[in-house]
């Protein structure tokens, strides 16, 4: 039987797996001026992915393997679609972590989820700003 914490963390881990994969695509097509940013965000998702897997293990839950590949919701072949993919990825992560905040059964998991949601929201706002969105963020990131 899975606990609410295990379910929340498993769903969030799926989003983090997809984010790490997508940032490989983003890195290939992003504006060269964004290389440091893409590298930083990729590393952040890897750290979050690993910490989430460790949290699942500590709860005695099985850690699902990542998919072999992930499909982009649209063709990414230059810097604008790459930035739009980053927006999609951060939106997906924010949505998964917001759900984890709402369903967490322990303060520890809720705290982790709030931190992860905040990080995703900041990255999302950065990409939205790069794309010229106004406003660059919304009041409740990750809200379906």
């Amino acid at each position: 039987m899975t606990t609410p914490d295990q379910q929340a963390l498993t769903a969030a881990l799926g989003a983090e797996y997809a984010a790490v994969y997508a940032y490989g695509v983003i890195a290939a097509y992003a504006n060269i001026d964004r290389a440091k940013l893409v590298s930083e965000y990729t590393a952040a998702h890897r750290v979050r992915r690993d910490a989430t897997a460790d949290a699942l293990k500590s709860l005695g839950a099985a850690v699902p393997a990542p998919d072999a590949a992930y499909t982009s919701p649209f063709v990414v072949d230059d810097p604008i679609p790459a930035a739009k993919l980053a927006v999609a990825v951060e939106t997906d992560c924010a949505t998964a972590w917001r759900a984890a905040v709402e369903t967490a059964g322990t303060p520890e998991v809720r705290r982790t989820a709030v931190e992860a949601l905040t990080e995703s929201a900041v990255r999302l706002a950065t990409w939205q700003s790069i794309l010229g969105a106004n406003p660059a963020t919304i009041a409740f990131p990750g809200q379906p």
Side-chain angles (χ1 to χ4, degrees):
M1 179 170 176
T2 60
T3 67
D5 285 348
Q6 291 170 337
Q7 291 173 339
L9 290 172
T10 299
L13 180 60
E16 293 298 337
Y17 280 149
V20 170
Y21 185 91
Y23 267 97
V25 175
I26 294 162
Y29 292 100
N31 184 312
I32 192 67
D33 296 338
R34 309 273 184 248
K36 183 177 178 189
L37 182 73
V38 170
S39 177
E40 177 186 321
Y41 288 0
T42 302
H45 280 291
R46 285 183 179 142
V47 167
R48 184 61 65 188
R49 174 203 62 197
D50 295 346
T52 305
D54 290 344
L56 278 167
K57 288 176 194 171
S58 75
L59 294 173
V63 177
D67 291 345
Y70 296 84
T71 304
S72 174
F74 45 82
V75 174
V76 177
D77 56 3
D78 69 39
I80 298 300
K84 289 180 179 180
L85 180 58
V87 166
V89 164
E90 297 302 346
T91 299
D92 290 348
C93 285
T95 301
W97 284 112
R98 181 184 172 100
V101 169
E102 294 172 350
T103 61
T106 61
E108 296 80 18
V109 171
R110 189 167 291 111
R111 185 177 315 108
T112 296
V114 167
E115 290 170 2
L117 171 58
T118 301
E119 292 168 4
S120 286
V122 169
R123 289 189 296 265
L124 175 57
T126 301
W127 284 112
Q128 290 279 57
S129 180
I130 288 167
L131 287 169
N134 188 11
T137 191
I138 58 173
F140 300 104
Q143 185 171 324

